[in-house]
Amino acid sequence: MKSFQPRLAVVTGAGSGIGRGTAKALADRGATVIVADINFATAKDTAALIHSHGGQALPYALDVADPVSMEGLAEYVRAAHGVPDVVVNNAGIVVGGPFFDIRPADLQRIVDVNLTAVVHGCRLFGAQMAERGAGGQLVNISSVAAFAAMRLGTPYAFTAAGVKHLSDTLRVEMAPLGIGVTVVCPGLIATNLAATASLATLSTEQVAITRQIVVKGMTLLGMHPDKAGRKIVEAAAANRAMLPLRLESRLIHLFTRAFPNFTRALMRAGTGPEVERAVRFVIDHPGFVGIAREAAELMPQRPGLQTYWEPPEYDDPPPPPIPLRR
């Protein structure tokens, strides 16, 4: 691992959270990092942080759900900088709620962002690595949800499982080419993932309050994204097949393999319709919103983290930089 010194890396969803932490860790290893994010402002912030610590990074506006934009990123990186040594497919969103109540547009969006974009990232950059003939490392960020059935989180869970199995399969296929594939299944990390969540059957105000409470809770209980990024880069350096990131991820992975029926029963009990009805009774009470809003404001959070509970306004993506060979 000490000799792992990538020259060029690409990280999607690098404007915040795990993506930002991983981009910083790769820059610490000496890589020039292409910081790609749907929000160009946060991508520029990540690049500025890396520059302030003596690293090299370039921001890039990218909606990973658009295959044409993904192809544009791959073409730009190759023409302007060469073939990357490490690619981290990290961008992800959450869509939750009863499965039958989820809007088709939200279902399509999470599939496009969480799963199809990873497929295209591996296909486009993996092909470049294979043609170069010097190997490389693909890192795909999945979730602890890849291991366990999650009622009210079906879209997130099945896309996470798809990323894991895609990674397992590609690892077998790409090994003869010298290309490693690592899948990361994080547990609770202090990220802004909840801020962009789409939650079916909740009102706009209920969603806003829920986002604030969940994001604050994640900052208090979750692993710092910089620490997560360092562990991810260490796993890539060691060409690990899978990294269950945090204790709960390792335990859930073990339990679902050893006791699948028990795990399903536990998940059913914890998120069953009886629990859902009780929660709905509380949150739909006329006095709940005011109490919840005040509780969300008073709830503490860990200082020093980039946090928001409403999605930031997205910059209009600038045109891709003019490819210049060097």
Side-chain angles (χ1 to χ4, degrees), residues 147-164:
F147 306 140
M150 290 180 60
R151 186 177 179 276
L152 305 181
T154 296
Y156 186 69
F158 82 72
T159 54
V163 169
K164 182 186 178 301

Side-chain angles (χ1 to χ4, degrees), residues 14 16-26 46 225-230 233:
S16 64
I18 292 175
R20 173 175 286 188
T22 306
K24 291 167 67 177
L26 285 165
T46 298
D226 287 356
K227 182 178 180 179
R230 291 192 294 271
V233 172

Side-chain angles (χ1 to χ4, degrees), residues 67 168 174:
D168 292 341
M174 294 191 178

Side-chain angles (χ1 to χ4, degrees), residues 60 68-82 124-125 128 323 325:
Y60 191 98
V68 175
S69 296
M70 288 291 290
E71 291 177 0
L73 169 67
E75 292 171 0
Y76 158 71
V77 171
R78 182 169 191 170
H81 305 286
L124 294 164
F125 288 108
Q128 291 184 8
R325 293 190 178 276

Side-chain angles (χ1 to χ4, degrees), residues 16-17 94 188-197 199 206-225 295-297 299-312:
S16 64
V94 172
L188 188 60
I189 312 295
T191 74
N192 293 303
L193 184 62
T196 55
L199 304 172
Q206 287 173 334
V207 169
I209 295 170
T210 300
R211 285 172 172 168
Q212 184 173 1
I213 291 173
V214 172
V215 170
K216 284 187 172 182
M218 291 174 72
T219 68
L220 292 173
L221 302 175
M223 177 185 289
H224 196 291
E297 292 295 333
M299 185 177 175
Q301 67 183 83
R302 188 195 306 178
L305 284 172
Q306 173 210 28
T307 55
Y308 51 80
W309 32 89
E310 287 297 325

